[in-house]
Amino acid sequence: MTVDTLCVQGGWNPGKGEPRQVPVYSSTTFRYETSEQMADLFDLKVPGYFYTRLANPTNDQVAKKITALEGGVGAILTSSGQAASTFAVLNLCQAGDHVVSSAQIYGGTFNLFAVSLKKLGIDFTFVDPDAPAKEIAAAIRPNTKCVFGETVANPSGVVLDIAKFARVAHAHGLPLIIDNTFPTPVLCRPFDFGCDIVTHATTKYMDGHSSQVGGCIVDSGNFDWAKYPDRFAGLVAPDASYHGLSYVKAFGKMAYIVKCTAHLMRDFGSIPSPFNAFLLNLGLESLHVRIRRHAQSALTIAKWLRKQPKVAWVNFAGLPDSPYHRLVRKQFKGGIPCGVMTFGIKGGRAKSIKFMDSLKLIGIVTHVADAWSCVLHPASHTHRQLTDAQLKAAGIPPDLIRFSVGLEDPQDLIADLKQALAKI
Ligand SMILES: *Cc1c(COP(=O)(O)O)cnc(C)c1O
C-alpha cells in the first residue's frame, strides 16, 4: 500500500457493524476479571490496556497509522512535539551521557537540549549539518548515546543529509534520531535513508488544522541495541522496576518503543488526550492531499517573491537553484520538502516587521504547517531567548520572516503579499 492509502485507512480495519471512524476511548482505566490478569499487565507479560497514562486504544490506533506511514515497527503518541523529543532522548540517555545534535533544529528543541536536559546532566554538542562527515564524527565522545537532527530545520529551512548522518552515527555504534515534522512521511521517509528513530510534532502538517498539540515517536526496529550492551544498558540490562526484565530480550525489535511506554510514559506521563488523537487522525486522513498542495503553492509563491524588488532574499529548498536541490530531489518525493519558506525584506528587521503588520489575509501566529497561511518573525518571537551569536548559529538573520503557505488560493496570497509590499 502507498502512503496515500495508508493516510486514509492505515491502522484501522473495522469489521462487520463496527464504526468507520476510530472511536474515542475516553476512559482512564479498563476492567478485568481476575487479579492475575491485572498482575500480568503490570509485569508486561501480556499486552493490554489498564491505565490511560501508559496507553490508550484510540491513541494506539492513530500511532499504528503513523507507524505504517513511516515504515516502522511501532510508535507512541505524546502530548506534544516537545514531549516526543524529550522522550526520544531520555529513552537512551541519563546524567553523564552526551548527544551530538545538528545545530539547525527547532528553537524549542534547542532550548530543551542546551538548557533543560543539560541541567539534568546530559551534554550536547551542536554541529553544522552541512559540515563534512569527518567533522560531525569528531564531535562523538565515548559517552555519546545518539545523534539527533531535523529533516528540514524549522525555521532556517536547512535540509539535513540523513544518509550522511546515519553513516556517521552507525560507524560509531549510535542510533540516529530524526525530527521529521516538516516533510511528514508523505514527502520523506527517514528510515529509507538509514535513520533509526523518527519524532514528530503532529501539531503541524499531520494535524494541519490548528486543532491539537501532539507528538509521536516511531521506531524503525533496525538498531541492534544488544550489540552494545554497555552503551545501551537501559534497553539490554535487567530493569529493576520491572522485576529484572530486559526490553531487548522480551520485546526484540520493539524494545525501544516498549521502553518508551513502559518506563517513560509510566513515570513522566505525557500521554495525549484520546480526543486529541481522534482530531489528529482526521488530519491524517487528508495529509497526502494537503501537503502536496502546501508544497506546490509555496513553490509558486517563492518564485514570485524573489522577483519583487523590495524582497532581499528568499530561502526555499524547493527552488531549482537552491544549494540543497540535489539532496532535495534524492530525499523528498516530488522534489519539494514542505510548504514553509523564509525571506527577508530590504531594510532589515524594522521593514520586515512593518511588512508583516500590513498583511491582511496572512496572519501573525506562532504556528506553521496549517491550512491557514501565517507568518512569524523568529528573532522577536520564537527565538527571542537566543543571543545574536546563537541566532546566527541557528541560521536566523534578524530580518528573517518565516512564511507558512496554507491551502488558500496562491493567487489570493500573492495579492496580499503585494499590497503589504506596497505599504513599505
Ligand atoms: C513545533 C515543532 C516542535 C515542537 O512541537 P510542539 O507540539 O509545539 O511541542 C518540534 N519540532 C519541530 C520541527 C516543530 O516544528
Side-chain angles (χ1 to χ4, degrees):
M1 253 190 272
T2 67
V3 289
D4 289 42
T5 303
L6 292 171
C7 277
V8 183
Q9 296 206 11
W12 180 236
N13 302 298
K16 183 181 171 224
E18 284 178 353
R20 134 80 178 86
Q21 190 49 270
V22 174
V24 178
Y25 290 93
S26 190
S27 182
T28 56
T29 194
F30 303 83
R31 189 177 165 182
Y32 288 90
E33 286 150 349
T34 68
S35 168
E36 196 189 346
Q37 287 170 348
M38 183 69 86
D40 285 349
L41 288 166
F42 272 98
D43 281 351
L44 306 179
K45 271 192 198 153
V46 292
Y49 299 101
F50 50 111
Y51 192 57
T52 282
R53 170 157 37 78
L54 284 96
N56 172 280
T58 308
N59 297 356
D60 279 359
Q61 286 304 333
V62 181
K64 262 192 209 160
K65 176 177 281 188
I66 300 174
T67 304
L69 285 171
E70 287 287 7
V73 295
I76 60 166
L77 298 190
T78 58
S79 56
S80 67
Q82 285 300 105
S85 306
T86 307
F87 279 22
V89 170
L90 285 186
N91 208 31
L92 298 172
C93 298
Q94 60 185 40
D97 289 340
H98 173 253
V99 177
V100 172
S101 171
S102 165
Q104 302 284 344
I105 50 173
Y106 174 65
T109 315
F110 185 84
N111 275 316
L112 167 70
F113 289 175
V115 181
S116 296
L117 291 185
K118 196 172 162 55
K119 275 188 195 162
L120 298 183
I122 302 166
D123 214 0
F124 287 80
T125 303
F126 295 96
V127 296
D128 174 0
D130 289 333
K134 235 171 58 189
E135 220 174 290
I136 297 163
I140 293 170
R141 303 178 191 164
N143 60 340
T144 306
K145 289 293 171 75
C146 58
V147 178
F148 188 96
E150 205 165 292
T151 324
V152 183
N154 175 6
S156 70
V158 166
V159 178
L160 188 116
D161 185 339
I162 300 170
K164 175 178 77 177
F165 269 72
R167 274 196 305 275
V168 171
H170 296 163
H172 294 80
L174 302 171
L176 174 63
I177 305 173
I178 291 285
D179 178 337
N180 195 36
T181 296
F182 268 17
T184 81
V186 174
L187 300 183
C188 174
R189 300 216 306 183
F191 296 158
D192 294 345
F193 301 96
C195 159
D196 302 287
I197 309 289
V198 157
T199 63
H200 282 284
T202 61
T203 316
K204 310 295 167 58
Y205 287 117
M206 281 191 170
D207 172 296
H209 302 83
S210 274
S211 67
Q212 59 90 44
V213 168
C216 185
I217 306 173
V218 194
D219 186 354
S220 71
N222 291 335
F223 196 84
D224 188 1
W225 312 104
K227 198 169 165 191
Y228 313 97
D230 296 332
R231 186 173 300 147
F232 303 111
L235 285 154
V236 183
D239 181 346
S241 73
Y242 279 109
H243 310 305
L245 166 141
S246 152
Y247 291 99
V248 164
K249 271 198 198 133
F251 303 105
K253 280 187 178 303
M254 300 275 288
Y256 176 92
I257 206 72
V258 172
K259 179 173 185 274
C260 238
T261 298
H263 181 198
L264 298 180
M265 272 301 174
R266 181 197 63 187
D267 295 355
F268 294 105
S270 295
I271 201 94
S273 148
F275 185 67
N276 279 2
F278 172 83
L279 292 174
L280 167 59
N281 189 51
L282 292 182
L284 288 170
E285 287 193 358
S286 62
L287 174 65
H288 54 304
V289 179
R290 291 184 292 104
I291 193 153
R292 292 194 186 110
R293 167 74 185 249
H294 279 289
Q296 209 59 55
S297 294
L299 181 59
T300 304
I301 293 172
K303 284 180 176 166
W304 178 85
L305 261 181
R306 68 182 347 192
K307 283 195 240 140
Q308 307 311 307
K310 289 179 182 169
V311 173
W313 53 272
V314 177
N315 175 21
F316 183 57
L319 286 166
D321 58 352
S322 153
Y324 296 108
H325 187 60
R326 274 189 56 194
L327 180 59
V328 166
R329 294 214 29 197
K330 174 184 146 202
Q331 219 167 252
F332 302 90
K333 289 174 201 114
I336 311 174
C338 61
V340 181
M341 72 181 79
T342 56
F343 63 95
I345 300 291
K346 280 182 190 158
R349 185 191 278 250
K351 280 266 159 66
S352 288
I353 290 173
K354 169 93 182 18
F355 164 78
M356 283 176 47
D357 290 352
S358 307
L359 291 165
K360 290 182 176 140
L361 199 55
I362 302 165
I364 300 176
V365 299
T366 309
H367 204 234
V368 282
D370 175 15
W372 290 40
S373 290
C374 58
V375 287
L376 189 85
H377 186 240
S380 39
H381 304 144
T382 45
H383 289 61
R384 60 182 302 131
Q385 316 84 331
L386 302 196
T387 64
D388 277 1
Q390 283 172 329
L391 275 176
K392 201 166 162 248
I396 302 163
D399 66 342
L400 181 149
I401 295 171
R402 183 182 69 185
F403 179 22
S404 173
V405 178
L407 297 175
E408 304 91 342
D409 185 330
Q411 294 311 319
D412 285 338
L413 297 173
I414 285 175
D416 193 27
L417 295 164
K418 200 168 172 181
Q419 66 79 24
L421 283 172
K423 297 227 168 81
I424 54 169

